[in-house]
Amino acid sequence: LPPPYLQVHHDCSSKGSAIDLTTLVYNSQRWKLTDNATGVCLSTGGANGSNPAVVARFDPVGNGSKLEVAGAHFSTTTAILGSWGFDSSTLKKSLQHHPGYEKVFLGDTNAFSHTKNVDFAIAWGFDLGASTPTQAATVYDLTLPFLGYWNADRIITSLPGSPTP
């Protein structure tokens, strides 16, 4: 990456398999990584498996909110299980919930629209902040009865702001 951009990532790829990697890219002139990022494979809760997640805390350079940021690629079982699947409980264990840090999730939940952002926030142990709705399909234009449309890619945050877009 060109300066001033840096990255933290977790790789759940296994030898001979497809790449299974989650990366958070940040501007080091605006954000300071406060400690080592935590990486986990959501399928196992350990360093090896599939469905990578990375959690990192950032302090602003200058003014602004302190952030605990999670990036993740959930399994397709989330399409059925929603926010109550193994991926969510594993991610919750990785979130450190340090006082004074707002939460930001950036990732592919593989969830349909019947699972709301607030459902994920509750499952992960924080209050939903500013509304960041995904109001249409993000990958495929796929709608199923009782599940709704597939809005897999989400931004979910505890940052203060309007609960409506």
Side-chain angles (χ1 to χ4, degrees):
L1 294 171
Y5 296 98
L6 299 174
Q7 64 182 341
V8 293
H9 71 274
H10 188 69
D11 190 347
C12 294
S13 306
S14 59
K15 189 174 183 178
S17 71
I19 294 173
D20 198 7
L21 174 72
T22 294
T23 303
L24 294 174
V25 175
Y26 66 98
N27 182 335
S28 63
Q29 290 178 340
R30 297 184 64 194
W31 299 100
K32 179 182 181 287
L33 184 65
T34 61
D35 53 15
N36 291 331
T38 301
V40 64
C41 296
L42 297 174
S43 65
T44 62
N48 299 309
S50 61
N51 302 101
V54 62
V55 177
R57 285 187 300 136
F58 296 95
D59 286 350
V61 175
N63 296 326
S65 297
K66 295 179 177 183
L67 302 177
E68 182 175 26
V69 180
H73 179 219
F74 281 29
S75 72
T76 54
T77 60
T78 307
I80 303 301
L81 299 176
S83 62
W84 301 109
F86 187 73
D87 293 353
S88 275
S89 61
T90 302
L91 181 62
K92 181 179 181 178
K93 292 174 189 172
S94 296
L95 292 168
Q96 300 166 19
H97 297 288
H98 288 281
Y101 282 80
E102 298 291 346
K103 307 290 183 282
V104 175
F105 171 86
L106 308 163
D108 179 355
T109 64
N110 268 314
F112 281 83
S113 60
H114 80 290
T115 304
K116 307 295 183 211
N117 286 358
V118 69
D119 298 328
F120 283 112
I122 290 168
W124 300 333
F126 66 86
D127 293 329
L128 186 65
S131 181
T132 55
T134 307
Q135 297 175 335
T138 58
V139 181
Y140 301 104
D141 189 11
L142 177 64
T143 301
L144 296 176
F146 305 109
L147 294 177
Y149 57 88
W150 196 17
N151 59 338
D153 302 313
R154 309 268 183 115
I155 299 170
I156 303 170
T157 179
S158 68
L159 287 163
S162 173
T164 56

